[in-house]
């Protein structure tokens, strides 16, 4: 992280190189959402100026950048399946030994619990304070809909960390640097939910570990 030149706070993009200094932001202070958004826009503009022949890849889900509503606990298996295009497993359908007696109720519990977990990650992705951030920056400001995160390419060598990293390692790095919070413990529910949300946004993309 570059040192402050004017007594402010240096905010860094997830590439580990692009940064700006917020002159009036002192240690322990937080920006408003509008101020943080303006800073991240400047970071993105700076990155684009320095990489005129490249682009910051956006989400491939076709969804908006608005937070997803949490799924209703009362939704049935058929409704859940319709929303995702999946076909509910009927009672007694076998899907390997583990699911030899997988019932409609089992499917509903599985689907609702998974969707709730992804929804939790979505909310955290849009709320820097919930991640322990201290300057008002949230993950979605640089990565709308978890764009340009490429979870399917992990594990891979990351220059920022100077080692081969897992997706959760990079999430923690971003929390510590752009968001300016503290790294989350490996079993912290927030870290696991963030992983789930990011992976859900790339559903259907083939695994390609190690790719840059």
């Amino acid at each position: 992280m570059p040192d402050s030149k004017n007594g402010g706070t240096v905010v860094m993009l997830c590439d580990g190189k692009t940064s700006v200094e917020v002159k009036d932001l002192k240690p322990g202070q937080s920006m408003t959402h509008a101020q943080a958004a303006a800073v991240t826009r400047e970071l993105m503009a700076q990155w684009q100026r320095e990489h005129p022949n490249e682009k910051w890849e956006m989400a491939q889900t076709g969804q908006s950048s608005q937070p997803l509503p949490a799924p209703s606990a009362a939704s049935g298996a058929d409704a859940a399946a319709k929303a995702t295009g999946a076909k509910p497993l009927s009672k007694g359908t076998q899907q390997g030994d583990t699911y030899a007696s997988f019932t409609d109720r089992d499917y509903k519990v599985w689907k609702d619990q998974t969707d709730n977990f992804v929804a939790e990650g979505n909310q955290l992705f849009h709320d820097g304070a919930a991640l322990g951030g201290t300057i008002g920056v949230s993950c979605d400001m640089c990565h709308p809909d978890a764009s340009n995160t490429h979870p399917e390419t992990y594990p891979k060598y990351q220059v920022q960390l100077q080692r081969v990293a897992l997706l959760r390692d990079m999430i923690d790095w971003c929390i510590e640097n752009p968001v300016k919070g503290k790294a989350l413990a490996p079993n912290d529910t927030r870290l696991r939910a963030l992983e789930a949300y990011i992976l859900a946004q790339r559903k259907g993309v083939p695994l390609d570990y190690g790719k840059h």
Side-chain angles (χ1 to χ4, degrees), residues 8-27:
T9 298
V10 176
V11 182
M12 181 178 288
L13 195 62
C14 295
D15 65 353
K17 299 178 181 179
T18 309
S19 65
V20 297
E21 180 176 350
V22 184
K23 296 180 180 179
D24 298 327
L25 187 65
K26 305 300 180 184

Side-chain angles (χ1 to χ4, degrees), residues 39-98:
V39 170
T40 55
R41 283 196 298 271
E42 172 55 29
L43 282 168
M44 297 302 296
Q46 181 179 326
W47 184 90
Q48 193 63 67
R49 288 193 298 270
E50 295 173 353
H51 303 81
N53 298 319
E54 300 178 33
K55 67 176 181 178
W56 191 271
E57 185 173 334
M58 299 307 292
Q60 298 181 7
T61 62
Q63 299 175 356
S64 71
S65 59
Q66 297 298 316
L68 299 172
S72 169
S75 62
D78 290 342
K82 184 177 180 181
T84 61
K87 182 179 180 180
L89 295 175
S90 60
K91 184 175 181 179
T93 298
Q94 183 166 336
Q95 188 182 2
D97 293 341
T98 303

Side-chain angles (χ1 to χ4, degrees), residues 44 47-48 54-66 125 139-152 197-198 201-202 205:
M44 297 302 296
W47 184 90
Q48 193 63 67
E54 300 178 33
K55 67 176 181 178
W56 191 271
E57 185 173 334
M58 299 307 292
Q60 298 181 7
T61 62
Q63 299 175 356
S64 71
S65 59
Q66 297 298 316
F125 203 82
C139 301
D140 65 294
M141 290 182 176
C142 294
H143 300 277
D145 292 323
S147 61
N148 218 65
T149 53
H150 303 293
E152 71 280 0
Y197 169 67
I198 293 171
Q201 293 301 92
R202 298 287 282 179
V205 178

